Amino acid sequence: MKKSAYLKTMFQKYGNEITVHPKYKKEYQVKGLSFQHLPSSNELGIPFDHTDDGGYLYLGPAEYRIDRELEETKLEQDDVLYWVTKSRAVYLQNEPIYVCAVLQKVVAS
């Protein structure tokens, strides 16, 4: 089994329903994990710091490359919207195995 397929199974089993709202494409559903107020990036193995931009983090399957849809992309979970401020695919042996993103909660004005 490919590493990305194993992680996709874990996201399907344990993940939350998240709606991705890309600016120029139709919205779609993914199963992913999102967290708030996490330990440091080094402790989590995340390739960038998530605490500077609001402290929310998304992990999701490599099949949905939100890192390629950054311009004004939003994620929605439990009727709460988050801006994607940074996103990156994480690779193992030249294979993308998951996508992680730093999120900032959308504040209603």
Side-chain angles (χ1 to χ4, degrees), residues 36-103:
Q36 179 181 9
H37 306 299
L38 295 171
S40 74
S41 297
N42 288 339
E43 293 172 359
L44 290 170
I46 303 302
F48 45 69
D49 191 12
H50 60 277
T51 57
D52 294 340
D53 293 315
Y56 299 91
L57 182 70
Y58 161 84
L59 301 175
E63 164 183 16
Y64 300 102
R65 297 292 305 270
I66 65 169
D67 59 312
R68 294 180 177 163
E69 302 170 354
L70 270 181
E71 188 177 338
E72 297 184 33
T73 295
K74 293 181 251 181
L75 301 183
E76 181 180 359
Q77 178 184 337
D78 299 329
D79 296 323
V80 178
L81 279 173
Y82 303 89
W83 288 108
V84 177
T85 59
K86 296 183 211 176
S87 184
R88 179 176 297 164
V90 176
Y91 287 79
L92 182 62
Q93 298 175 339
N94 296 323
E95 176 192 346
I97 58 171
Y98 66 92
V99 173
C100 58
V102 174
L103 310 175

